Amino acid sequence: MSQAHAAQWPNGAKEPANPTQGGRKAIIAAASANLAIAVTKAIAWALTGASSMLAEAIHSVADTANQVVLMVGGKESHKEADEDHPFGYETARYLSGFVVAIVIFTLGGLFALYEAYHKIEATLGGHRDELLDSQWWWVPLAVVMISLCAEGASLRTALKESSQDREGMTILQYIRKAKAPELPVVMLEDSAAVLGLIFAFLGVGLTLLTHNPIFDGIGSACIGILLVVVARVLSREMKSLLEGESATPESRKAVHDALIHSDGVDSVIYMKTVHLGPETILVAAKIAVDPTDSAFEVARIIDNAEASVRAAEPLVGPLFLEPDIRYGDKRIKDGEERPEDQS
């Protein structure tokens, strides 16, 4: 008794949206800061042999690579839809975020933990640390202070660009709810960078004060643990997006309300949504129509419902509406409970 009707973007396939200007700006700011910081940290390590500096240098190299990965993913995501990818390539942005998590874990976290193990083992074995005998002992502290200013400025840029989207949410809440990966990734990286620099400062500082290099190793270990935790959080969120998250409750409500208030739609039997990318939502719904409606009238109802949905939620891309009828006392009027509705 049902007739399927499917519609995608108006006037054919739509080119997925580019990453937001704010996200691109934050990525460029972070990449510029990380590249310069990586060089200065590497120089500090070469002059003093401080493990914390080496761990931080590798951390900054990983972060710089991550910004490149994000930009490549953003460029890939707005390729036009084709026969093999009828819904486009927007998930490339989620994939790039997941790759970033892997890079942070392996290149950043695991290397820092290895370096910490190496330094602590050498210290316990009685090895004399280069930092304590170096005339450049002050360089790591100066580098950390300069790096803190640069990373703080990068984090400030990311926070500023995300301020409208966050609307009072904490960084972690925003990361968990955001559908676009660029700003959350940069915010996580910059937050980890600031904390990592604090650990490095404490490690080097305590080593110089106590003449015990084990604190330098402990600083590296703290940096490694921090990066592993950040990688875990980021990979979990990106994995969820890759698996297909539904639209936000606000978007689902907007679509649902647009359908039930559309002329000729008796109720929504069920509705499902999924983010194909940060700026594209796929909607599939079964709507109840009057059993006496003609095929022509049903087609008109669906066309009107499509227009209402797109006006209510501009992120809706592919839209599939199937008309059906409710039987007997299962017909549900607007405003009453809808136990069958699913989003």
Side-chain angles (χ1 to χ4, degrees):
M1 292 293 294
S2 65
Q3 175 182 350
H5 183 91
Q8 292 193 18
W9 295 272
N11 303 319
K14 182 191 80 169
E15 181 180 346
N18 294 333
T20 63
Q21 183 65 28
R24 187 182 298 108
K25 183 177 179 181
I27 290 172
I28 293 174
S32 302
N34 286 323
L35 183 59
I37 291 170
V39 173
T40 57
K41 289 174 181 175
I43 293 173
W45 166 72
L47 291 174
T48 65
S51 292
S52 296
M53 284 295 96
L54 180 57
E56 274 297 302
I58 297 300
H59 178 187
S60 294
V61 169
D63 283 352
T64 304
N66 289 339
Q67 314 314 320
V68 175
V69 170
L70 288 176
M71 287 189 283
V72 170
K75 183 178 180 180
E76 182 78 9
S77 71
H78 55 264
K79 288 170 57 178
E80 292 187 6
D82 52 39
E83 185 176 351
D84 292 330
H85 299 84
F87 295 131
Y89 291 81
E90 271 200 88
T91 51
R93 290 169 68 181
Y94 296 153
L95 180 60
S96 66
F98 190 76
V99 171
V100 164
I102 296 173
V103 173
I104 292 175
F105 178 77
T106 54
L107 190 57
L110 294 185
F111 182 86
L113 290 173
Y114 167 78
E115 182 62 22
Y117 171 78
H118 177 74
K119 174 55 70 74
I120 292 173
E121 182 183 45
T123 301
L124 295 177
H127 177 73
R128 178 70 178 176
D129 194 85
E130 298 176 43
L131 176 61
L132 298 177
D133 298 324
S134 174
Q135 61 177 323
W136 304 104
W137 59 267
W138 53 272
V139 171
L141 299 178
V143 168
V144 167
M145 298 306 296
I146 295 172
S147 299
L148 270 173
C149 293
E151 293 289 4
S154 177
L155 178 58
R156 182 175 178 273
T157 299
L159 291 173
K160 181 179 179 181
E161 297 300 331
S162 67
S163 58
Q164 290 185 344
D165 294 333
R166 285 190 293 121
E167 296 180 347
M169 290 186 288
T170 65
I171 292 178
L172 189 57
Q173 289 173 330
Y174 176 67
I175 290 168
R176 297 191 64 179
K177 293 184 178 182
K179 302 300 182 183
E182 291 82 10
L183 278 173
V185 168
V186 172
M187 290 167 67
L188 261 180
E189 286 185 345
D190 288 346
S191 298
V194 170
L195 287 174
L197 287 166
I198 293 173
F199 292 146
F201 182 85
L202 292 174
V204 173
L206 288 173
T207 293
L208 293 172
L209 285 174
T210 64
H211 291 273
N212 187 347
I214 198 170
F215 289 108
D216 188 24
I218 292 174
S220 296
C222 290
I223 293 169
I225 293 171
L226 171 67
L227 293 179
V228 168
V229 170
V230 167
R232 173 68 182 113
V233 172
L234 184 58
S235 64
R236 182 180 62 187
E237 297 306 318
M238 292 302 107
K239 177 175 177 288
S240 179
L241 289 169
L242 280 170
E243 289 172 341
E245 285 189 0
S246 67
T248 63
E250 295 78 12
S251 292
R252 297 201 301 266
K253 184 178 187 304
V255 172
H256 186 278
D257 290 349
L259 286 173
I260 62 176
H261 289 107
S262 183
D263 182 39
V265 176
D266 188 70
S267 63
V268 177
I269 298 174
Y270 70 75
M271 183 182 80
K272 296 183 182 296
T273 65
V274 65
H275 263 275
L276 297 177
E279 283 90 25
T280 304
I281 301 172
L282 180 150
V283 177
K286 179 177 285 191
I287 56 176
V289 297
D290 193 289
T292 62
D293 287 337
S294 66
F296 179 83
E297 183 65 15
V298 168
R300 184 192 66 81
I301 291 171
I302 291 177
D303 289 340
N304 289 339
E306 290 172 357
S308 297
V309 168
R310 297 189 190 283
E313 178 48 84
L315 293 183
V316 171
L319 174 57
F320 301 89
L321 298 179
E322 180 183 357
D324 208 336
I325 59 174
R326 292 187 184 274
Y327 298 94
D329 59 0
K330 292 184 179 180
R331 192 176 289 273
I332 299 175
K333 297 181 180 179
D334 180 24
E336 297 179 359
E337 184 180 3
R338 302 177 179 80
E340 305 103 312
D341 289 2
Q342 301 178 29
S343 297

